[in-house]
Amino acid sequence: MKKALFLIVFLSCAISILNAQQRDLVKYVNTRQGTNSKYEFSYGNTYPATALPFGMNTWTPQTGKNGDGWKYQYFVHTIRGFQQSHQCSSWVNDYAVFSLMPVSGKLVVNEDERAASFSHDNEIAQPGYYKVKLDNNITTEISPTERGAHLRFTFPHSKSTYIVLDGYTKMSMVKIDPDHKKITGYVNNCRWAPSNFKNYFVIVFDKPFKGYGTWENKHNQITPDSLFAEGEGRGAYIKFKDGETVQARVASSYISPEQAELTLQTELGKYKSFDETHAAADKVWNTLLGRMLAEGGTEEQKATFYSCLYHANLFSHQFFEYNKDGKPYYFSPYDGKVHDGYMYTDNGFWDTFRAQFPLNTIIHPAMEGRYAQALLDAQQQCGWLPAWSFPAETGGMLGNHSISILADAWVKGIRTFDPKKALEAYYHEATNKGPWGSANGRPGWKEYFADGYVPYSAKTQGATAWTLEFAYDDFCAYQLAKQTGNKFYENVFARQMYNYKNLFDPKTRFMRAKDEAGNWIEPFDPMDWGGPYTEGNAWHWTWSVFHDTQGLIDLMGGNKNFTAKLDSVFTEPGTIKVGGYGTVIHEMTEMAAFNMGQYAQGNEPIHHMIYLYNYAGEPWKAQQHIREVMDKMYNATENGYPGDEDEGQMSSWYVLSAAGIYSVCPGTDQYVIGSPAFNKITITLENGNKFTIEANNNSKTNVYIQSATLNGKPYTHHWITQADIMNGGVLHFEMGDKPNFQRGLNADDKPFSLSKRVL
């Protein structure tokens, strides 16, 4: 009896400890990770976004001037306001922004003059809660909902108390309603949107107004007692009782002012206090973070892991809202009309097809299914598949990677869309050039189809990179066609997916540029950045054959030559040669700073490279390098990333790699195995199953896999499938401090390659 009671108590304590761990996971997250960034050097180019996962809006303190893409920089010690934000990259700035700023004493509206100093010691930056006590003793707190936020401003006693609303850039409107303690209005600051785009907002305060007025932020002219203003940079201010504590509930809508009011009631009306909103936001984040429960490892590793997991779940933003019947609908950023259904935006797929979307297929398959259909809806409204939406299509970067997202979803069992329509949309993309940027349709598509590559010239900067990414995207279309029995498109893309071979130079063993006549462009230096390569050089881009690593191994003359070339990436000096850029760009500086030769984790083209050792018989080198990169280049501080965080891709690389797997080739159902950072990670899936990755005897030195089992059976493969994960079970590794040179050397232990076998 005593033993039974002891066991019950023990199990109860164990469950309580586990629940406590899950409740406290938000405390590991530092939303300021990567914020110590500037134009010349990026440690992430992030800002401390206070938001719910994939929320339509985020909120952030603002240290930069209105219109500055670097909205929060850790080394700046003054805050100008607290913004509603949607920014997914400092390089494309922000849209639909307005800010609130508490001011005490004299009313000051000028953004430079109202800026208040602060110390990071007086700042808390968590996913569902931001708090800062400014040096003037005003405290601001923020907790989010998906389309709104709850703010609390605590002012010092016996001082005049104001809240200033700044309309940011471009047109804005404000309307003050003292009887209902309310401000309504809109902002339309946006670079890529239809002409009728507006972000309508409603702000309801909990304390009566003692004064009010409007102002404009070009000349900072104030109009006391004014209830309405519309024009460029129009804003408002409210005066409250001296020393008041003021709460503000905020919601916004792209559809209408009425929808903003409805959202305010549905998302914030159920919370009686700021603390309730905060508790609800923490519950959402703790539940999500707890779905990848990491055990073992150091506290610093857990902070890095959960800070990255937070960033991996911010983008894409929801762009849909719920009507009075609870049905989703949205203002389309593509055609300016209102449609039923789901829409997502604020993502550059060249970055995120690699890891962020594959991570979603594991953690958020239902959302990924909605996303896939939204891509096809966007194509109908825009005429083109999205490549970089912000919120409409920008055409930024390169490649046609919507097809990667669609094919990856399909092969992993997420089948919420019509594959024929997807293939038709992609075929249009691949045989036309759109009006925006190099990722909207295909530049050089005729030459690519006719000659098998895009010729390089002054007009086709990045042509070699284009060819490599086009070939991978064509593989994804081939996969989708083959899996759905569409022989026409299967035949169309069956030849194109091998086009990478046309730019491989067997003499130098690099991917190089050719001219229209098929001649190699000379002179050639693999360290030269730019020219035929995008944000990289030949050392980075030669590996961009995600779908046919075996084919690349064959071109290089076999495994030994291939792994020697991989080794050389790390042993070559980290020399910067500006090449076609003609000047140093931040990606170059970041590569050199981390002192790993020509390995440039700070930019996406090389993210999969380390895992390629698994394809060539030397997986232990992948295990060693992966752990080195995680330890050396990532942490949870303001210097937390080796380059731009890019809508969750840099974080998703870490999250998957820390779990011991990585998506080398989205569009297949495989993840390539690396070296887990933790003793145990338990993934709780949407279907109710749990998949656990264990690494016994794991440590900073024990990075090498000695043996593995999957659900108790010996496992020698260097890959695992989506089905293995979704079915639940245990992938168990025994770790050691020396490589096991004999494990996993059979042909079927290698991950998927097109030249090896066709799925």
Side-chain angles (χ1 to χ4, degrees), residues 15-299:
I15 291 169
S16 297
I17 291 169
L18 180 60
N19 289 337
Q21 286 177 327
Q22 292 175 326
R23 282 197 301 272
D24 292 340
L25 291 178
V26 290
K27 294 182 179 179
Y28 283 112
V29 178
N30 177 17
T31 65
R32 295 170 303 189
Q33 181 189 27
T35 58
N36 197 30
S37 299
K38 52 188 175 181
Y39 179 89
E40 299 83 5
F41 195 103
S42 174
Y43 281 110
N45 267 340
T46 58
Y47 53 94
T50 307
L52 291 190
F54 310 107
M56 192 172 87
N57 309 316
T58 71
W59 282 79
T60 179
Q62 173 195 359
T63 65
K65 291 179 71 69
N66 285 352
D68 188 348
W70 282 263
K71 59 173 62 264
Y72 179 99
Q73 293 173 298
Y74 191 84
F75 53 84
V76 178
H77 297 288
T78 55
I79 289 175
R80 300 165 179 267
F82 299 91
Q83 290 185 347
Q84 185 191 82
S85 170
H86 308 86
Q87 183 168 295
C88 61
S89 169
S90 297
W91 306 102
V92 294
N93 212 293
D94 205 348
Y95 71 90
V97 182
F98 61 90
S99 68
L100 298 174
M101 182 63 184
V103 174
S104 66
K106 178 185 176 182
L107 173 63
V108 180
V109 294
N110 181 297
E111 65 167 310
D112 295 320
E113 296 174 8
R114 74 179 187 237
S117 61
F118 75 105
S119 167
H120 293 298
D121 293 338
N122 294 322
E123 193 179 32
I124 298 171
Q126 295 176 351
Y129 179 62
Y130 177 84
K131 178 181 180 181
V132 63
K133 184 176 183 180
L134 303 170
D135 291 346
N136 61 16
N137 290 321
I138 300 175
T139 296
T140 297
E141 298 167 275
I142 309 171
S143 278
T145 65
E146 287 186 334
R147 295 161 191 81
H150 202 151
L151 296 90
R152 181 163 63 191
F153 304 98
T154 304
F155 291 87
H157 294 300
S158 69
K159 280 197 172 184
S160 296
T161 296
Y162 297 91
I163 292 176
V164 175
L165 187 157
D166 192 325
Y168 203 64
T169 59
K170 297 184 73 173
M171 292 288 290
S172 59
M173 182 273 281
V174 291
K175 183 178 180 181
I176 302 170
D177 181 354
D179 292 340
H180 296 94
K181 298 175 286 190
K182 180 189 298 186
I183 304 176
T184 56
Y186 72 80
V187 291
N188 79 342
N189 45 81
C190 195
R191 185 176 173 187
W192 291 283
S195 59
N196 62 334
F197 172 84
K198 287 186 174 74
N199 182 38
Y200 301 97
F201 60 81
V202 55
I203 308 170
V204 176
F205 300 92
D206 70 333
K207 298 295 168 64
F209 300 171
K210 298 297 182 181
Y212 49 80
T214 61
W215 67 289
E216 54 79 33
N217 62 20
K218 301 305 173 186
H219 305 287
N220 298 299
Q221 290 186 329
I222 295 172
T223 306
D225 302 320
S226 169
L227 293 172
F228 178 86
E230 186 171 22
E232 194 169 355
R234 294 306 194 265
Y237 69 87
I238 305 297
K239 187 179 189 300
F240 297 91
K241 185 178 76 173
D242 291 359
E244 189 68 277
T245 294
V246 180
Q247 295 187 42
R249 289 178 166 88
V250 187
S252 66
S253 169
Y254 300 120
I255 296 173
S256 68
E258 294 77 17
Q259 179 61 46
E261 294 272 8
L262 176 62
T263 298
L264 183 75
Q265 293 305 313
T266 56
E267 290 197 359
L268 285 150
K270 54 192 172 186
Y271 304 125
K272 295 180 181 178
S273 68
F274 176 89
D275 293 330
E276 284 190 13
T277 309
H278 174 197
D282 275 1
K283 182 179 180 181
V284 170
W285 275 110
N286 276 317
T287 299
L288 174 54
L289 298 174
R291 290 185 57 203
M292 291 193 77
L293 188 63
E295 300 177 63
T298 65
E299 291 297 284

Side-chain angles (χ1 to χ4, degrees), residues 356-630:
Q356 200 263 344
F357 279 99
L359 178 61
N360 283 347
T361 67
I362 298 173
I363 303 298
H364 307 290
M367 182 186 75
E368 193 75 353
R370 293 193 292 268
Y371 205 110
Q373 181 57 50
L375 289 176
L376 298 184
D377 292 341
Q379 196 271 345
Q380 289 295 304
Q381 296 156 22
C382 170
W384 304 88
L385 284 168
W388 189 315
S389 52
F390 188 65
E393 177 54 24
T394 72
M397 296 309 294
L398 65 154
N400 311 116
H401 297 311
S402 280
I403 193 62
S404 172
I405 297 166
L406 292 163
D408 197 49
W410 192 272
V411 300
K412 292 175 178 175
I414 301 169
R415 300 178 176 179
T416 55
F417 60 95
D418 184 337
K420 185 173 183 290
K421 289 183 178 179
L423 288 164
E424 289 170 348
Y426 176 70
Y427 183 75
H428 173 264
E429 200 82 14
T431 55
N432 291 278
K433 174 65 191 82
W436 316 290
S438 59
N440 181 224
R442 280 187 177 172
W445 68 269
K446 292 181 181 179
E447 294 84 353
Y448 173 81
F449 276 109
D451 303 327
Y453 67 95
V454 181
Y456 173 66
S457 70
K459 295 181 179 180
T460 56
Q461 299 290 309
T464 298
W466 294 348
T467 299
L468 295 171
E469 304 251 334
F470 294 167
Y472 162 70
D473 288 332
D474 286 347
F475 160 76
C476 291
Y478 165 84
Q479 278 282 81
L480 183 57
K482 186 175 180 63
Q483 294 229 340
T484 57
N486 193 318
K487 290 294 183 182
F488 174 78
Y489 287 115
E490 181 183 342
N491 292 333
V492 166
F493 296 111
R495 178 175 65 91
Q496 312 307 132
M497 60 189 175
Y498 292 104
N499 278 353
Y500 71 89
K501 295 182 179 182
N502 297 322
L503 293 184
F504 182 79
D505 175 13
K507 183 178 179 181
T508 63
R509 293 176 181 159
F510 284 107
M511 294 292 178
R512 292 184 55 186
K514 287 181 177 177
D515 62 20
E516 291 182 355
N519 302 309
W520 296 117
I521 299 293
E522 300 289 356
F524 171 69
D525 186 336
M527 288 190 182
D528 279 346
W529 284 61
Y533 309 103
T534 300
E535 295 182 358
N537 62 27
W539 282 110
H540 310 142
W541 276 97
T542 292
W543 316 104
S544 288
V545 188
F546 315 98
H547 57 298
D548 197 16
T549 302
Q550 186 60 51
L552 184 58
I553 292 170
D554 295 342
L555 288 175
M556 287 196 182
N559 287 347
K560 291 299 180 184
N561 287 342
F562 184 79
T563 55
K565 195 76 168 182
L566 289 171
D567 293 343
S568 296
V569 173
F570 300 103
T571 58
E572 285 289 310
T575 304
I576 296 173
K577 293 190 177 181
V578 298
Y581 282 105
T583 188
V584 173
I585 61 174
H586 74 94
E587 288 90 350
M588 301 174 188
T589 310
E590 292 147 14
M591 180 194 76
F594 286 97
N595 197 28
M596 288 183 68
Q598 288 291 312
Y599 185 77
Q601 177 70 17
N603 208 18
E604 277 70 22
I606 212 165
H607 273 192
H608 67 297
M609 188 214 86
I610 294 175
Y611 286 89
L612 300 186
Y613 282 109
N614 287 285
Y615 296 71
E618 296 185 3
W620 54 89
K621 289 184 178 178
Q623 294 156 24
Q624 184 269 317
H625 285 304
I626 289 161
R627 293 288 284 271
E628 181 183 9
V629 170
M630 284 194 285

